[in-house]
Amino acid sequence: MPVYHPPRIPSSEITPRGVYLSRRNFLGTAAGLAAVGLTGHGALAAPLTAKPGAYKLDEPLTPLDAVTSYNNFYEFGTGKSDPKENAGKFKPTPWTIRVDGLVGKPQEFNIEDLLKYPLEDRTYRMRCVEGWSMVIPWIGFPLSALLDKVEPLGSAKFVSFETVVRPEEMSGQTGLFQALDWPYVEGLRLDEARHPLTILAVGLYGETLPNQNGAPIRLVVPWKYGFKGIKSIVRISLVEKQPETTWKNSNAREYGFYSNVNPKVDHPRWSQATEQRIGEGGFFSTQRRPTLMYNGYDEVASLYTGMDLKANY
Ligand SMILES: Nc1nc2c(c(=O)[nH]1)N[C@H]1C(S)=C(S)[C@@H](COP(=O)(O)O)O[C@H]1N2
Ligand SMILES: [Mo]
């Protein structure tokens, strides 16, 4: 995150959109949830069935190979290709998420059970704070569905999230130089967490999540900068006070708690007015497109009435 790395995705690695769409049709008819079987997690992705949701975009999908080879996942290194190269030995199953804190019914959830929730296709824009963006067809379910199960108390005002710590499987968590403090932590205000756009993703492009994208389960909050989308979550806690967040801890001047996409508020070291859509315009493209307020998700504006959006913190 401290440096902007221009994307280098050779067009030879690019999966045409049509390949995905025809495969998706096939999966929709031929593969049931029974086919998930979970053995496919990790190295081999397993197909997931999801109902086509209302969340579609009139923009081309970012090719699968770009989505899975140009990543930020500092637990596996800080380079864009590090996560794909280094996440091979990460084991996303078995997996449980603890949901606790200010709730009536604290619980542990197995990933197998979460995969049985009604899953939806959610194609969202993703805007990294570094100035690049993608369009990703996620599969997941609203975070609110999970929160309902644990019955948040009236005193709960925020939700905090935590990524797994496994130095033996995550090369970025070992060695002399470590980019961040672990575990990676994130947070949302409870009303942001309950917003229908906020999902826990368990898959993309019709299959379970690749390790480098945050297997087996990660947060997606499409109107916020990508770093809010914490990966490989093991714990979710309902809390009273605004929780700590990794990038604010690392550099509070540059990364705030709210971090809503806002083209009018520049990062201290670069403009946020435009973005490079990965895969658009070919290999060495410097083409940029305007960044949209709330990343185009204007329906969240009412969450922030009365707040100083200029500060965005
Ligand atoms: N645990 C963890 N989650 C993380 C990150 C990380 O380094 N560690 N990087 C964030 C950033 S900066 C971005 S842009 C998105 C990238 O998600 P993607 O690689 O699936 O596109 O993941 C976010 N979630
Ligand atoms: Mo990011």
Side-chain angles (χ1 to χ4, degrees):
M1 198 120 60
V3 206
Y4 171 64
H5 309 272
R8 294 282 151 82
I9 309 288
S11 52
S12 60
E13 285 182 19
I14 285 174
T15 307
R17 185 182 182 212
V19 172
Y20 165 64
L21 292 177
S22 51
R23 194 168 48 124
R24 194 87 189 98
N25 287 339
F26 166 78
L27 289 173
T29 53
L33 193 56
V36 171
L38 286 183
T39 47
H41 257 302
L44 262 179
L48 284 177
T49 316
K51 73 171 187 285
Y55 298 88
K56 294 190 181 116
L57 285 178
D58 209 6
E59 295 169 40
L61 299 179
T62 302
L64 175 62
D65 295 300
V67 172
T68 58
S69 64
Y70 188 85
N71 300 99
N72 275 330
F73 200 168
Y74 279 24
E75 284 84 341
F76 295 106
T78 57
K80 291 289 179 282
S81 55
D82 288 344
K84 183 178 181 180
E85 277 165 29
N86 299 331
K89 69 172 172 185
F90 179 68
K91 292 185 195 67
T93 52
W95 195 271
T96 56
I97 300 195
R98 184 149 54 98
V99 188
D100 61 9
L102 301 171
V103 299
K105 292 187 176 163
Q107 279 168 75
E108 286 208 346
F109 296 88
N110 290 319
I111 189 67
E112 288 88 344
D113 295 331
L114 296 178
L115 289 174
K116 287 178 200 139
Y117 279 35
L119 301 178
E120 295 173 40
D121 281 319
R122 298 278 187 121
T123 296
Y124 284 158
R125 292 180 207 93
M126 208 221 10
R127 170 61 157 81
C128 176
V129 75
E130 294 166 327
W132 53 268
S133 65
M134 298 190 182
V135 175
I136 304 178
W138 302 107
I139 295 171
F141 56 85
L143 173 60
S144 63
L146 188 69
L147 296 178
D148 286 343
K149 301 243 173 202
V150 297
E151 300 178 5
L153 303 177
S155 51
K157 302 284 184 255
F158 292 88
V159 185
S160 76
F161 304 84
E162 200 176 297
T163 293
V164 74
V165 179
R166 280 193 200 163
E168 48 315 328
E169 293 176 26
M170 299 175 127
S171 52
Q173 292 183 331
T174 60
L176 281 179
F177 170 78
Q178 299 197 22
L180 296 168
D181 288 335
W182 317 113
Y184 192 103
V185 288
E186 256 306 335
L188 295 172
R189 218 170 54 193
L190 186 56
D191 58 346
E192 297 178 316
R194 281 198 174 288
H195 193 279
L197 284 171
T198 304
I199 59 166
L200 287 170
V202 294
L204 57 80
Y205 266 100
E207 296 180 336
T208 49
L209 281 180
N211 287 349
Q212 59 269 35
N213 294 92
I217 186 163
R218 59 89 59 84
L219 183 67
V220 180
V221 195
W223 71 94
K224 292 179 180 282
Y225 288 116
F227 67 85
K228 299 293 294 182
I230 181 172
K231 295 177 168 181
S232 306
I233 299 168
V234 287
R235 187 176 176 197
I236 299 177
S237 298
L238 284 281
V239 295
E240 197 186 330
K241 300 218 167 70
Q242 181 179 305
E244 290 193 24
T245 54
T246 285
W247 279 101
K248 187 162 187 272
N249 283 349
S250 169
N251 190 339
R253 204 177 75 85
E254 300 192 350
Y255 308 106
F257 176 81
Y258 285 94
S259 289
N260 295 316
V261 174
N262 187 342
K264 295 197 192 99
V265 179
D266 289 339
H267 184 278
R269 290 183 282 131
W270 58 82
S271 163
Q272 295 291 31
T274 63
E275 65 201 50
Q276 180 169 11
R277 182 62 57 83
I278 302 294
E280 196 172 65
F283 193 10
F284 287 111
S285 172
T286 51
Q287 192 178 319
R288 298 183 73 82
R289 53 163 65 215
T291 287
L292 305 173
M293 185 63 200
Y294 295 120
N295 205 20
Y297 299 96
D298 293 313
E299 60 261 59
V300 301
S302 61
L303 293 173
Y304 307 104
T305 32
M307 275 182 74
D308 179 8
L309 286 176
K310 179 105 180 65
N312 214 359
Y313 289 81

